[in-house]
Amino acid sequence: MTSADPSTAVNALLASRLRNAQPALWTNPARQAQPAAALPALGRTISLDDTKAAAARLVRFAGLLAEVFPELAATGGVVESPLLPAAALQSALGMAANQGRLFIKADHSLPVAGSIKARGGMHEVLEFAERLALQHGLVEPGGDYRALATPQAREVLGRYQVAVGSTGNLGMSIGVVASALGFQATVHMSADAKEWKKDRLRQRGVQVVEHAGDYERAVAAGRAEAASNPMCHFVDDEQSFSLLLGYSAAALHLQKQLAEQGVAVDAEHPLIVYLPCGVGGAPAGITFGLRQVLGPHVHCFFAEPVQSPCFLVQMLADSMQSVGGHPSVYDWGLTNRTEADGLAVPRASLLAAELMRPLLSGVFTVADDTLFAHLVQVLDALGERIEPSAAAGFSGPAMLTGTTAGQAWLRSTGIDAVLHQATHLVWTTGGLLVPDAQYQGFVQRGRAVLAAQG
Ligand SMILES: *Cc1c(COP(=O)(O)O)cnc(C)c1O
């Protein structure tokens, strides 16, 4: 190893597992039990007030959303997902009865976008629409935002463009919402984006621009094109506060759902949350919100594919001042190739990484075969249809209870003594809109993996 090697200063076993694309767990030595109320990120600070403002914005727009999206009429324009008890899945995951209770947060069923991107993506488009609407006098502050559904208002918004670079799901959320409000919508897609996602967007009047490279290249191309157009708002997945805060609003709703289901979160009853991570914005927003509203006894872990652990390598770089910088998974000899297309990101968001430094409990990686096996087990035990990316969190409990690093973490936090009273919450992040033929292919692969495991 040379001195420039990014793995020299980290635990050698972890480094070798990462390099060899084997499942690995990193726990965060810099996590703080009592972080500051306002946390620094990319030169500004974020606090719970920002999360509350995002939640309030979603409420202001609910009436309009119920009008433009028929699928939201029943909930009055509220985009939310259930918290589902998942005891039926515990034995399939190898969780013993004395290792706590399992729930899933079913964002795979979020309407309109079909993924967790409904939260952040919708919020950012609405924030842009709100700014324009107030500027152009289309609505009064505190007024009825359904006025934005009128042809006159749509004509004004139609002068503006909303653009985004995406592997797929963010594009689906931004594109569909922007176009429904009357904006011109452009989605720059990477080569790994699925054909059916592009088709769906085009059907909704969204312009899809295809790029030969990976996710980063699609984002860079979109950013460059948008920079030359003053009427264009570019949704920047790598550094957007609006996206992150839209995601964070999920915490306020989850807090209510936990209370409704009688789930306590305290020293005797820790809550451990497992979140699939791509660029990091969605899981970081949610982790930020959860740490603010639930305190020190909620522990958040990010889950990444073994070939795309961009957040993990960023956390390692941050903890090693000799290295620092903004490494990519390619620097670690990895391919960034995974069937979890929502997570196929080579380099983490620095906004998310800085914000997570004092908040996050850890990051683990998971092999694609395991994603498919868990996807099938979720179907068989719960009847829920999730996509491969959304399965990443299900390895979490076993990573904590069944690995040396996990067991050390459980001991060092004292959670080992109360594990039987812990709640494990796996965030399932996408699936609703996956076409049946695609989904059946996922199931077949998962059944083959399970059969091979015997
Ligand atoms: C985007 C996405 C994630 C992760 O969100 P990031 O903000 O990219 O970290 C997880 N699951 C699915 C299905 C996604 O589409």
Side-chain angles (χ1 to χ4, degrees), residues 129-273:
E130 184 171 53
R131 195 162 70 234
L132 294 174
L134 293 170
Q135 231 170 55
H136 289 274
L138 304 175
V139 295
E140 297 292 315
D144 186 343
Y145 283 18
R146 282 177 300 182
L148 294 178
T150 61
Q152 299 88 312
R154 291 175 63 83
E155 187 276 318
V156 175
L157 296 186
R159 297 175 209 159
Y160 293 86
Q161 186 189 18
V162 175
V164 65
S166 169
T167 57
N169 284 344
L170 183 64
M172 297 238 288
S173 167
I174 299 284
V176 166
V177 176
S179 140
L181 294 185
F183 288 114
Q184 303 163 45
T186 303
V187 177
H188 297 268
M189 287 217 163
S190 47
D192 47 2
K194 299 283 183 280
E195 225 31 67
W196 67 267
K197 295 185 180 175
K198 299 176 195 169
D199 293 342
R200 192 181 161 88
L201 284 171
R202 292 191 177 109
Q203 279 158 19
R204 301 267 185 136
V206 177
Q207 187 197 4
V208 177
V209 184
E210 299 179 58
H211 297 276
D214 65 11
Y215 156 87
E216 267 192 334
R217 298 266 299 276
V219 173
R223 195 187 282 136
E225 195 186 302
S228 64
N229 177 2
M231 302 292 274
C232 180
H233 177 79
F234 181 68
V235 176
D236 198 324
D237 199 13
E238 291 173 351
Q239 45 198 351
S240 166
F241 286 90
S242 186
L243 273 181
L244 187 126
L245 292 170
Y247 292 123
S248 77
L252 300 168
H253 193 250
L254 180 64
Q255 183 184 31
K256 281 197 211 114
Q257 290 178 311
L258 290 168
E260 279 161 18
Q261 303 214 19
V263 177
V265 182
D266 54 37
E268 266 71 55
H269 306 86
L271 171 66
I272 312 177
V273 184

Side-chain angles (χ1 to χ4, degrees), residues 115-117 169-170 237 247 276-283 342-343 345 387 389-390 429-431:
S115 80
I116 193 167
K117 302 296 193 309
N169 284 344
L170 183 64
D237 199 13
Y247 292 123
C277 174
V279 72
L343 313 182
V345 176
E387 63 184 79
S389 296
T429 47

Side-chain angles (χ1 to χ4, degrees), residues 107 116 119 247-248 250-251 275 281-291 427:
D107 273 8
I116 193 167
R119 300 182 180 281
Y247 292 123
S248 77
L275 295 145
I286 289 170
T287 296
F288 171 76
L290 289 176
R291 290 293 317 270
W427 213 287

Side-chain angles (χ1 to χ4, degrees), residues 32-174:
Q32 296 173 13
Q34 306 289 349
L39 288 169
L42 290 191
R44 63 174 262 197
T45 60
I46 305 185
S47 72
L48 183 58
D49 286 344
D50 297 304
T51 296
K52 288 182 176 163
R57 180 168 292 112
L58 295 172
V59 170
R60 286 198 290 280
F61 272 94
L64 175 67
L65 294 174
E67 216 164 283
V68 291
F69 291 110
E71 62 265 52
L72 295 182
T75 60
V78 173
V79 177
E80 256 309 334
S81 72
L83 172 65
L84 302 174
L89 186 59
Q90 294 199 201
S91 64
L93 293 182
M95 279 177 71
N98 64 356
Q99 291 179 330
R101 276 201 299 170
L102 182 68
F103 283 81
I104 67 176
K105 176 61 177 162
D107 273 8
H108 64 279
S109 65
L110 279 179
V112 178
S115 80
I116 193 167
K117 302 296 193 309
R119 300 182 180 281
M122 191 167 265
H123 177 258
E124 178 148 356
V125 175
L126 297 179
E127 185 168 9
F128 181 53
E130 184 171 53
R131 195 162 70 234
L132 294 174
L134 293 170
Q135 231 170 55
H136 289 274
L138 304 175
V139 295
E140 297 292 315
D144 186 343
Y145 283 18
R146 282 177 300 182
L148 294 178
T150 61
Q152 299 88 312
R154 291 175 63 83
E155 187 276 318
V156 175
L157 296 186
R159 297 175 209 159
Y160 293 86
Q161 186 189 18
V162 175
V164 65
S166 169
T167 57
N169 284 344
L170 183 64
M172 297 238 288
S173 167
I174 299 284

Side-chain angles (χ1 to χ4, degrees), residues 226-451:
S228 64
N229 177 2
M231 302 292 274
C232 180
H233 177 79
F234 181 68
V235 176
D236 198 324
D237 199 13
E238 291 173 351
Q239 45 198 351
S240 166
F241 286 90
S242 186
L243 273 181
L244 187 126
L245 292 170
Y247 292 123
S248 77
L252 300 168
H253 193 250
L254 180 64
Q255 183 184 31
K256 281 197 211 114
Q257 290 178 311
L258 290 168
E260 279 161 18
Q261 303 214 19
V263 177
V265 182
D266 54 37
E268 266 71 55
H269 306 86
L271 171 66
I272 312 177
V273 184
Y274 308 97
L275 295 145
C277 174
V279 72
I286 289 170
T287 296
F288 171 76
L290 289 176
R291 290 293 317 270
Q292 298 287 326
V293 300
L294 297 176
H297 303 295
V298 57
H299 285 274
C300 297
F301 285 87
F302 290 2
E304 302 187 292
V306 290
Q307 290 289 357
S308 302
C310 66
F311 213 86
L312 207 168
V313 303
Q314 185 62 49
M315 291 284 109
L316 291 178
D318 288 355
S319 64
M320 292 151 48
Q321 295 186 339
S322 59
V323 178
H326 196 193
S328 81
V329 301
Y330 307 124
D331 298 336
W332 280 76
L334 298 170
T335 63
N336 193 36
R337 273 205 288 276
T338 168
E339 287 296 321
D341 52 348
L343 313 182
V345 176
R347 220 183 296 262
S349 154
L350 290 177
L351 162 62
E354 186 179 355
L355 189 63
M356 286 302 96
R357 174 58 47 197
L359 301 182
L360 190 61
S361 291
V363 186
F364 60 89
T365 61
V366 50
D368 272 22
D369 273 353
T370 307
L371 298 179
F372 287 101
H374 286 156
L375 177 149
V376 164
Q377 288 170 327
V378 167
L379 175 68
D380 290 347
L382 307 174
E384 299 290 329
R385 285 173 51 131
I386 64 172
E387 63 184 79
S389 296
F394 287 101
S395 313
M399 287 306 273
L400 296 184
T401 59
T403 67
T404 310
Q407 289 159 357
W409 181 83
L410 288 170
R411 274 194 307 277
S412 73
T413 53
I415 293 178
D416 58 342
V418 292
L419 191 61
H420 59 292
Q421 299 177 154
T423 302
H424 302 267
L425 174 54
V426 178
W427 213 287
T428 52
T429 47
L432 180 70
L433 302 180
V434 175
D436 203 50
Q438 294 273 328
Y439 183 70
Q440 292 314 326
F442 298 156
V443 170
Q444 260 175 23
R445 177 159 169 193
R447 295 218 185 278
V449 171
L450 289 171

